[in-house]
Amino acid sequence: MTRLNKLLLAFTVMSASIAAHADTTSNFAGLTFGQTSDKVKKSNALNENLGHPDADGVIGKDNTWGVRLGQQNSQGRYYATYDTVSGSHNGIKLRQENLLGSYDLFYPVGDSTKLFGGATAGLTKLSQNSPGFSHDSDIGYAVGGQFGVLQQVSQNTSVELGYRYLRSNASTEMSERGGSKQGSLDLTSSAQTYLSANYAF
């Protein structure tokens, strides 16, 4: 009987813990808007053929739009994000798309304010659509992290200000239409400052 009582007690405690966790977990969706700046490495051939263009300025503080969907509780959250940004500079036009999975831990600093920080991993697609050049794209990995502040506005809505940094290996080629390859562009990193509005349901 003693073992049975202990087993029942353990089962009761475990069930209560799971139920309490379920009560505090909610789904959420959000919209994000921010600015992204990329670091892009140029091949030697591209520098020679195109006269050392400023590739870092192609996507430099350009508007970035995104959507997210995930789950959260009082300790943290995990979520998936899709966002996109494009820019052009010195005759080069690039578009970057991210599909990311993230996890954040919360640190409360008030009744309705939390700091957050976490890690992100996923995929980045880099597309080159420069005038006079053949379209080219590539999908590479993305890994990094983010931190920021989350403000609860009402029971179901919150807003946040965050910063995300990603490393990537996506690469794209530049070839003249009907001509030869001029070189390549390698996305090495991207930094994004963003605002997000979230709704829990």
Side-chain angles (χ1 to χ4, degrees):
M1 288 297 293
T2 303
R3 290 182 180 177
L4 180 59
N5 288 340
K6 288 182 178 179
L7 183 62
L8 288 173
L9 179 62
F11 180 79
T12 301
V13 171
M14 184 177 68
S15 298
S17 175
I18 292 173
H21 176 74
D23 287 342
T24 58
T25 299
S26 61
N27 299 317
F28 75 93
L31 297 174
T32 64
F33 171 75
Q35 291 186 330
T36 297
S37 295
D38 286 347
K39 292 293 184 183
V40 178
K41 181 180 178 181
K42 301 166 291 182
S43 67
N44 292 331
L46 188 135
N47 278 327
E48 292 174 3
N49 292 324
L50 300 183
H52 295 267
D54 180 13
D56 286 342
V58 178
I59 295 179
K61 295 184 178 180
D62 284 289
N63 291 343
T64 309
W65 302 89
V67 294
R68 54 167 58 168
L69 184 66
Q71 284 192 329
Q72 63 185 10
N73 56 33
S74 59
Q75 287 78 42
R77 62 183 178 178
Y78 58 90
Y79 51 99
T81 302
Y82 169 81
D83 60 40
T84 180
V85 58
S86 61
S88 58
H89 186 63
N90 283 349
I92 300 175
K93 184 177 181 180
L94 296 175
R95 182 184 183 192
Q96 179 184 348
E97 297 172 89
N98 298 318
L99 183 60
L100 307 169
S102 304
Y103 181 76
D104 292 331
L105 287 174
F106 293 147
Y107 181 78
V109 292
D111 292 339
S112 59
T113 306
K114 299 174 183 177
L115 301 179
F116 68 86
T120 289
L123 299 173
T124 292
K125 181 179 180 180
L126 184 67
S127 302
Q128 180 272 124
N129 299 289
S130 308
F133 292 86
S134 299
H135 170 79
D136 187 60
S137 64
D138 179 55
I139 297 176
Y141 73 81
V143 61
Q146 63 281 333
F147 62 87
V149 59
L150 178 70
Q151 179 67 44
Q152 200 72 30
V153 178
S154 68
Q155 183 177 356
N156 297 101
T157 59
S158 62
V159 294
E160 69 183 82
L161 173 65
Y163 174 84
R164 170 176 284 143
Y165 178 80
L166 296 173
R167 298 286 296 181
S168 179
N169 67 343
S171 178
T172 184
E173 296 182 350
M174 294 192 68
S175 300
E176 293 178 333
R177 287 181 185 152
S180 60
K181 175 182 173 181
Q182 299 298 298
S184 62
L185 299 166
D186 301 325
L187 175 63
T188 59
S189 66
S190 59
Q192 181 187 123
T193 302
Y194 67 91
L195 289 168
S196 178
N198 309 307
Y199 180 78
F201 56 95

